[in-house]
Amino acid sequence: MLAVLRCSCWILMVVHHQNLHGRLNSHANKLKEFSVTFMEAMKMMTLGLRLWSYVREEASYGRKAPIDPFTRESCRPSASQGVPLGGMGSGSISRGFRGEFKHWQILPSACEMSPVMVNQFSIFISRDGGSKKFSSVLAPGHHEGIKKLGDQGISSWDWNLSGQHSTYHALFPRAWTVYDGEPDPELKISCRQISPFIPHDYKESSLPVCVFVYTLVNTGRERAKVSLLMTWANSIGGISHETGGHINEPFLGDDGVSGVLLHHKTAKDNPPVTFAIAACETQNVNVTILPKFVLSGENSITASDMWGIMMQDGQFERQNFNGGPSMPSSPGETMCAAVSASAWVEPHGKCTVAFALAWASPKVKFQKGYTYHRRYTRFYGTSQRSAVNLVHDALMKYSWWEEEIEKWQQPILKDIKLPEWYKFTLFNELYFLVAGGTIWTDGGAQAFDEKASISKKGKKSSRNANKSVKSGSKKHNKGVPVTEPNVEDSEHRNEDDIMVTSIRSTAGHETTDSDIEGNNESVNGCPIPLNDPDNVGKFLYLEGIEYLMWCTYDVHFYASFALLDLFPKIELSIQRDFAHAVLHEDRRKVKFLADGNAGIRKVKGAVAHDLGTHDPWNEVNAYNIHDTSRWKDLNPKFVLQVYRDFAATGDVSFGREVWPSVCAAMDYMDQFDRDGDGLIENDGFPDQTYDAWTVHGISAYCGCLWIASLQAAAAMAHRLGDHAYAEKFTIKFLMAKNAFESKLWNGSYFNYDSGNSSNSKSIQADQLAGQWYVASSGLPSLFDSNKIRSTLQKIFDFNVMRVKGGRIGAVNGMHPNGKVDESCMQSREIWTGVTYALAATMILSGMEEQAFTTAEGIFTAGWSEEGYGYWFQTPEGWTIDGHYRSLVYMRPLAIWAMQWALSPPKAILDAPKVNVMERIYISPLTLRAIHENEIKKIVPRSSCFGNTVFHCEC
């Protein structure tokens, strides 16, 4: 009864707050996809041709290119999404607000968007000795493909729900559907969907399971026999059910938990998947099953037959539990299963019925052959039959999950200072940590499948990015080792021509194959045992379901606040992966599509753009539009994130472990300071996260990130006791800051860049990204408060309020005359994550009113009833007229940067209030040289590639 009351209270709270909600009969409008202008298309024609050729080449190897704008899904995206199911990293299934199960992401990088319409909950009600009967699928019947005459499949079911009086409410990781008087006017039905997403719980949050708890309230004078039915197809989305070889099997578990196992044989030698659908039998609830039915056929029970049995009896035969495994399905056959839970509900009484769904997919295999065990297998083993234990434990523990979720969410929900729209958008944007294609491994060694490594053309893919270790030719630029690419221009990548070099500055030795082969989680270069609580495994999440790259770092820069706040050990694990990559080099040839030139895949000292696509961790930088070793934002972003994480967690061992990579990343950037003023220059192409927006000379975005990273590196060096580097970075910081302000400050904001192009004086919404990070990390501001507030107010007045009255977010670029910068597709877009980051910067600068007005534009356009319908699929961005680009995108997680700004962690709040920069000793001679602008003559030449002695002062 307590659980019922708690559910009722939460439904009332969600309805009262009016966040994401809608009637089930709402029409799911098709979304309007982004398109380039004629001029943009002409500018990108050559790139488009190269990209088209690359997509075809990857397809010939049986692989999907990480960026493919030419292939369209057969199911057009619509405004129909809802809260996804399950925890993080074990595959995901989304559930639309009308009840359809869709967006299947069980296999890496694969997303089947179309719903599997067999997967439904249905209800059968009988009153007054059977004289009153009601039956319906608990989803509206206005779906394509339903109600075809003569079909023995699901069109023969009763789709009687109008949805007019039924509503859906969402507060991730839970959702509520309230059926008010449908299909029986005297029976109120509510279903709450619960997944185990619990911050700081690294076990429960990894489980591939979801619970559906139905509460039945009989308002009539007669008792009612109610049977709830869960039907499920042996499918992982798309046409996977047609491949054949699938088996269904009944099971009777402990504590009254029983149901059906659906063993799915995947195609293309992918690891198998086993689903479990189950219900919990109690004193008042009787559970029966039908292990197998098909959509049509002569020798099997059909979907129509199954419905007829439920109409007549309200349950299946008990002997079905004794049937054993079914015969494997035939190719083209859709094999399904059903679980029924029946109960009597007394007049004015209540009853609770709980179902659970789990999927056991213990192995995850990438297309170039490597296989890993998923995180949940550490607790449930690697058997396919672990799905039985998963559904059992879910049905036993879901009340505890809810208590933990409420403990986490209620302080924010009850905060009267926060706008209501913000509270619910904050939680609902976390959907991406489940539905963003996330993969979470157990941290154990990888296994290699030789068979899977052979492509369709018969060429063997590389087993590892370090089969041969050789010294690459190098040159020196201002004393900094820089790798000379020295590669041949080639139309095709030679995947057997591999040369990888590695250096570990702390040990001073070349890394061998054995150092890398296990790819385990490590601290200070030493593998962490699997049973160590600090080994949380390895975590991957996609940039987006249209951009198939793992942990895209320039975007993770924005999204990472969510992980750091809720799962900090995962965040540190990702940072270790990128720190490891900084000190490595992969000399395999890659053709960069923007200019057609060839280069090497990964340059030592350059921060990787991503952790790869088809062979993550071993083959990084799947992105090949530009040569990201020449990007100017990746290295500063790495240093800023590392310092923020170090400061927020107080993890000294993490700081010491990644410090050599920080030094290498900073030293690498020296080559881009071409006039010796301490400030890096851009190279006249889009060398940043805005990879279609050209930059000339010094830029507000990259320049601000650079001076922020100098300050962060100096502070980290000081706290770790590396005084030489602390002084070196402080000197550079002081000089770079002076150069930045003198060359870009125009009296009210910082110009886009120092060039002479038509948009050089544009107002960029993201120009204070570096200031955002230092403020978030407890470091002193980069500029005086008047300049910061003036810049933010300018952005608010122009980029926010002059576009649809501030109800759509912040446009990336705006000319000072009040016209949108249309120099490229990205300058004229509103980027959701950038808008949230801008709002966080405003909060940190004492401009909360402007901050919430700015961020509310994203809610209004993306999440509200009057918006475009992007709930649970927030895109990278949209245009002023509401055309989206790249649905289900990582960067909107940046809303958690707003919460970080509102409630900084204790370690940041309790940090010494003394300005760390002022504690770094700089000699009077050096200070005088800074004022005379001759700092380049005396900059310390210490190198991160020597041994470092740490004297931590944390």
Side-chain angles (χ1 to χ4, degrees), residues 735-757:
M735 187 173 185
K737 177 179 179 296
N738 291 337
F740 182 85
E741 294 190 79
S742 65
K743 295 179 180 180
L744 292 182
W745 180 251
N746 62 21
S748 59
Y749 65 95
F750 295 97
N751 290 334
Y752 176 70
D753 64 28
S754 62
N756 296 312
S757 64

Side-chain angles (χ1 to χ4, degrees), residues 337-402:
V339 174
S340 168
S342 305
W344 285 98
V345 187
E346 298 298 325
H348 306 292
K350 295 180 182 179
C351 181
T352 299
V353 179
F355 292 86
L357 166 70
W359 52 98
S361 178
K363 292 182 179 180
V364 55
K365 188 181 77 173
F366 295 97
Q367 283 191 297
K368 290 195 175 179
Y370 279 111
T371 300
Y372 303 82
H373 284 121
R374 297 190 192 262
R375 166 78 176 173
Y376 83 90
T377 63
R378 285 189 58 183
F379 316 108
Y380 284 86
T382 58
S383 168
Q384 297 291 128
R385 300 188 66 82
S386 64
V388 173
N389 296 327
L390 283 163
V391 290
H392 170 271
D393 290 355
L395 289 168
M396 296 297 106
K397 294 194 296 185
Y398 73 82
S399 293
W400 173 71
W401 291 349
E402 289 191 287

Side-chain angles (χ1 to χ4, degrees), residues 846-859:
M847 301 171 64
E848 287 195 16
E849 182 179 352
Q850 294 93 325
F852 284 115
T853 299
T854 296
E856 188 175 4
I858 301 301
F859 163 77

Side-chain angles (χ1 to χ4, degrees), residues 659-660 662-664 666-667 710 713-715 717-718 721-731 920 940-946 948:
W659 177 241
V662 170
C663 296
M666 294 299 290
D667 286 348
L710 286 167
H718 174 73
D722 192 336
H723 302 300
Y725 259 94
E727 181 181 357
K728 173 182 177 177
F729 293 139
T730 303
I731 292 169
I920 299 171
R941 302 182 67 82
S942 57
S943 169
C944 69
F945 295 105
T948 301

Side-chain angles (χ1 to χ4, degrees), residues 167-416:
T167 53
Y168 177 85
H169 311 271
L171 183 66
F172 179 88
R174 298 193 289 172
W176 297 260
T177 306
V178 181
Y179 308 90
D180 191 358
E182 292 190 272
D184 181 348
E186 296 182 330
L187 186 70
K188 293 185 180 295
I189 311 162
S190 66
C191 172
R192 67 187 194 274
Q193 171 189 311
I194 311 151
S195 292
F197 183 97
I198 303 170
H200 306 285
D201 190 324
Y202 296 87
K203 175 187 175 182
E204 303 297 317
S205 300
S206 72
L207 304 183
V209 66
C210 185
V211 177
F212 306 89
V213 183
Y214 281 86
T215 301
L216 310 171
V217 179
N218 185 359
T219 62
R221 298 179 180 179
E222 307 156 330
R223 73 171 184 159
K225 183 181 180 181
V226 181
S227 297
L228 286 160
L229 176 72
M230 182 182 188
T231 50
W232 201 259
N234 198 323
S235 169
I236 58 171
I239 59 171
S240 59
H241 54 276
E242 296 182 357
T243 56
H246 313 309
I247 296 171
N248 288 0
E249 176 187 2
F251 72 87
L252 273 168
D254 298 331
D255 300 309
V257 175
S258 54
V260 183
L261 290 174
L262 297 90
H263 304 284
H264 186 84
K265 181 181 179 182
T266 58
K268 300 179 181 179
D269 296 316
N270 282 300
V273 180
T274 295
F275 292 96
I277 57 172
C280 188
E281 193 162 83
T282 66
Q283 187 175 3
N284 188 42
V285 177
N286 179 48
V287 175
T288 57
I289 62 165
L290 182 62
K292 176 184 176 181
F293 70 89
V294 297
L295 293 188
S296 61
E298 296 181 357
N299 301 317
S300 300
I301 297 175
T302 65
S304 179
D305 297 333
M306 183 277 299
W307 194 265
I309 294 171
M310 288 299 299
M311 287 282 292
Q312 179 176 328
D313 302 327
Q315 61 186 33
F316 303 112
E317 296 181 0
R318 293 290 300 183
Q319 66 185 31
N320 289 344
F321 283 110
N322 305 322
S326 69
M327 294 295 293
S329 63
S330 303
E333 179 183 50
T334 302
M335 188 162 64
C336 313
V339 174
S340 168
S342 305
W344 285 98
V345 187
E346 298 298 325
H348 306 292
K350 295 180 182 179
C351 181
T352 299
V353 179
F355 292 86
L357 166 70
W359 52 98
S361 178
K363 292 182 179 180
V364 55
K365 188 181 77 173
F366 295 97
Q367 283 191 297
K368 290 195 175 179
Y370 279 111
T371 300
Y372 303 82
H373 284 121
R374 297 190 192 262
R375 166 78 176 173
Y376 83 90
T377 63
R378 285 189 58 183
F379 316 108
Y380 284 86
T382 58
S383 168
Q384 297 291 128
R385 300 188 66 82
S386 64
V388 173
N389 296 327
L390 283 163
V391 290
H392 170 271
D393 290 355
L395 289 168
M396 296 297 106
K397 294 194 296 185
Y398 73 82
S399 293
W400 173 71
W401 291 349
E402 289 191 287
E403 290 173 2
E404 294 301 303
I405 292 167
E406 289 174 21
K407 286 179 188 177
W408 159 47
Q409 293 183 338
Q410 282 203 19
I412 294 174
L413 294 174
K414 290 181 177 179
D415 190 340
I416 60 174

Side-chain angles (χ1 to χ4, degrees), residues 480 635-636 638-640 642-643 658-670 673 677-680 705-738 779 782 916-918 920-922 926-927 930 935 938-945 948 950:
V480 181
N635 284 40
F638 170 72
V639 175
L640 287 168
V642 163
Y643 180 78
V658 301
W659 177 241
S661 298
V662 170
C663 296
M666 294 299 290
D667 286 348
Y668 180 85
M669 297 299 290
D670 281 352
D673 176 14
D677 64 354
L679 194 59
I680 59 172
L705 289 171
W706 172 241
I707 60 176
S709 68
L710 286 167
Q711 186 186 60
M716 190 169 180
H718 174 73
R719 294 180 65 172
L720 291 175
D722 192 336
H723 302 300
Y725 259 94
E727 181 181 357
K728 173 182 177 177
F729 293 139
T730 303
I731 292 169
K732 283 191 173 184
F733 165 73
L734 293 172
M735 187 173 185
K737 177 179 179 296
N738 291 337
L779 290 170
L782 299 178
V916 173
M917 301 298 289
E918 294 175 357
I920 299 171
Y921 175 77
I922 304 176
T926 302
L927 287 172
I930 293 172
I935 191 170
I938 57 171
V939 170
R941 302 182 67 82
S942 57
S943 169
C944 69
F945 295 105
T948 301
F950 294 100

